[in-house]
Amino acid sequence: MSVLSSPHFHDEAKAFAFLESIVWADGVVCPHCGVIGSRVYDLAGVRSKPSVKNPEGVVRHGLKKCGECRKQFTVKVGTVFEHARMPLHKMLQAVHLMVSSKKGISSHQLARVLEVQYKSAWFLAHRIREAMRSGDLTPFGSNGGAVEVDETYFGQKRDVPHNRGGGHAHKFGVLALVDRESGTMRTFTFDRFRAETVHPIVLANISREARLMTDEAKMYKKIGREFAEHGTTLHGARQYVDLKDRTIHTNTVEGAFSIFKRGMKGVYQHCGEQHLHRYLAEFEFRYNNRIANGIDDRQRSRNAVAGIVGKRLTYKTPDIEA
C-alpha cells in the first residue's frame, strides 16, 4: 500500500466525494446563486451526450441541482478545476505529486505518470500552482520577531542580452521575506533592484515592530531605520552570522532560495517571465506547508486542494492572473 492507493486517486465518484469534503466542509454552497445550506438535490445516473468514444455517454459524477436558482453544478464549478476535461481522480493525483516533490515535478514527468498529453499536464500544473497562491497579507514580525529579507537572480530574460561585464539586468529578480517565528515565506518578482520597487514591498509586508535581517546591500540601509532593529551581515567579507549576536543572519532565506534554484534549474530548467509568479507560489506553498511546520504530505495535499475555490485560469491566457 502507498499514499496513492487511496480510493479518491482511482475512483471518480470517490474523488468527487473527497473534493466535496474539503470545499464544502461547512455545507454545500451553490456557485451560481451563492445560497448556503439550501435545498440541494443529487442528480444520480445522469450521463453526458453520446459520442463516438462513449456511445452511451459518460456518467456525470457529483452532479447536483440547486432548489433556489434551479441550476445544475458540481463541486468543480467556480474553481481552477472548472471545465477540466481530465478525470478528477487524475487531477488529485497530480496535486499530490506536486506538493510531495520537494523541488517540483516536470510537466513531462507528470504527463508520463498520468498518461496524458504534455499540453494537458502543463496546463494542469499551472492550474494547481494557481490554487497554491495564498494572497495572505498579514504583516510578518508583528510580535517583534526576526524577519529575513534577501534577493536573488536567475534565468535569462527574453530579448535581453547577457551582460558579460557583470550585473543582473538580463536575469529575473526575486525578493523573499522569511518570518522566523512562523516559519513562512513570501516571494515577489521585480524588474530592477531599486528603492522604488523594493521598499514598498518591505513596508507593506513587515510590521514596524519586527527585527529586520539583511545583508550589507545599500538598498536596505535606509529602509532599516523604519523597524525596531536592523541587523546586517557582511557577505562580501564572508561573514554569514554576526559573531556578537548569532540571531543576526539571513541563512534561513538563503536556504529557501537554494531549494527554489535547484528546482528551477534541475527540474523545470526553463521558465517564461509571465509564469514566474506561479512557480514562486509553488515553492512558497511547499515551504510554508513543510514537515517543520507540522504538515505532512497528506495534509499539504488537502491544503492545496482547499485553495482551488474562487480561482480560474484559461488555456488561451495562462499568463493573466485570475
Side-chain angles (χ1 to χ4, degrees):
M1 296 291 289
S2 68
V3 175
L4 291 177
S5 298
S6 300
H8 62 271
F9 287 136
H10 303 279
D11 184 271
E12 194 71 355
K14 296 287 178 57
F16 272 92
F18 174 79
L19 191 60
E20 289 172 5
S21 69
I22 297 175
V23 175
W24 293 333
D26 298 324
V28 179
V29 179
C30 175
H32 300 295
C33 63
V35 171
I36 302 175
S38 181
R39 296 173 299 152
V40 175
Y41 308 99
D42 292 323
L43 301 179
V46 178
R47 291 179 174 271
S48 63
K49 293 181 179 179
S51 63
V52 176
K53 185 177 181 180
N54 298 288
E56 298 181 356
V58 179
V59 176
R60 299 183 63 184
H61 295 284
L63 186 63
K64 301 180 184 300
K65 185 174 182 178
C66 177
E68 297 294 330
C69 66
R70 312 299 296 175
K71 292 183 179 180
Q72 296 180 3
F73 63 92
T74 69
V75 69
K76 295 195 301 181
V77 176
T79 73
V80 292
F81 290 159
E82 186 174 356
H83 292 311
R85 299 294 181 260
M86 194 182 301
L88 180 60
H89 69 271
K90 284 196 174 186
M91 293 193 289
L92 294 179
Q93 288 183 37
V95 171
H96 186 84
L97 289 170
M98 288 185 67
V99 302
S100 61
S101 303
K102 187 172 184 178
K103 299 178 183 67
I105 179 171
S106 70
S107 296
H108 280 292
Q109 179 69 21
L110 209 57
R112 290 192 294 269
V113 173
L114 300 179
E115 295 184 332
V116 298
Q117 293 184 354
Y118 166 71
K119 289 184 177 180
S120 299
W122 178 88
F123 184 37
L124 175 59
H126 275 295
R127 286 180 190 252
I128 297 170
R129 292 185 187 104
E130 186 69 19
M132 291 178 178
R133 298 176 63 189
S134 66
D136 186 16
L137 299 176
T138 305
F140 282 171
S142 298
N143 297 325
V147 180
E148 300 179 22
V149 180
D150 198 15
E151 78 287 343
T152 191
Y153 303 87
F154 81 101
Q156 172 71 51
K157 291 182 178 179
R158 181 180 295 180
D159 301 327
V160 178
H162 186 278
N163 189 348
R164 299 186 181 279
H168 306 95
H170 62 287
K171 293 187 175 184
F172 303 134
V174 176
L175 182 75
L177 287 62
V178 173
D179 185 1
R180 287 188 198 163
E181 186 175 346
S182 63
T184 56
M185 173 177 66
R186 285 181 196 163
T187 52
F188 307 86
T189 61
F190 61 86
D191 291 326
R192 301 188 68 186
F193 190 56
R194 296 288 184 268
E196 58 268 22
T197 56
V198 174
H199 286 188
I201 296 175
V202 175
L203 292 173
N205 289 273
I206 303 179
S207 174
R208 301 300 188 276
E209 293 80 19
R211 301 174 65 217
L212 186 68
M213 302 295 165
T214 69
D215 56 24
E216 72 275 25
K218 295 180 180 179
M219 173 64 59
Y220 302 118
K221 194 171 184 179
K222 181 178 179 181
I223 196 69
R225 303 184 191 127
E226 300 285 338
F227 299 94
E229 180 185 342
H230 180 202
T232 61
T233 50
L234 306 176
H235 288 180
R238 296 184 179 277
Q239 180 197 55
Y240 300 100
V241 179
D242 190 285
L243 298 180
K244 295 181 180 179
D245 185 353
R246 293 189 174 273
T247 64
I248 298 178
H249 63 80
T250 58
N251 293 339
T252 314
V253 67
E254 295 281 0
F257 273 148
S258 70
I259 298 174
F260 168 71
K261 285 190 173 182
R262 288 171 185 172
M264 294 304 296
K265 292 180 180 179
V267 177
Y268 297 123
Q269 300 182 17
H270 173 75
C271 169
E273 190 171 6
Q274 72 274 26
H275 302 304
L276 178 58
H277 63 288
R278 290 198 192 90
Y279 284 97
L280 285 172
E282 176 187 351
F283 284 90
E284 180 182 314
F285 176 86
R286 280 197 297 264
Y287 184 87
N288 296 343
N289 292 270
R290 64 193 188 280
I291 292 292
N293 287 346
I295 303 173
D296 59 12
D297 288 349
R298 290 180 184 270
Q299 186 58 48
R300 192 180 309 119
S301 181
R302 294 181 69 93
N303 291 351
V305 171
I308 67 174
V309 181
K311 300 174 182 177
R312 285 300 312 275
L313 195 65
T314 58
Y315 188 81
K316 289 183 179 181
T317 56
D319 56 324
I320 304 298
E321 296 186 18

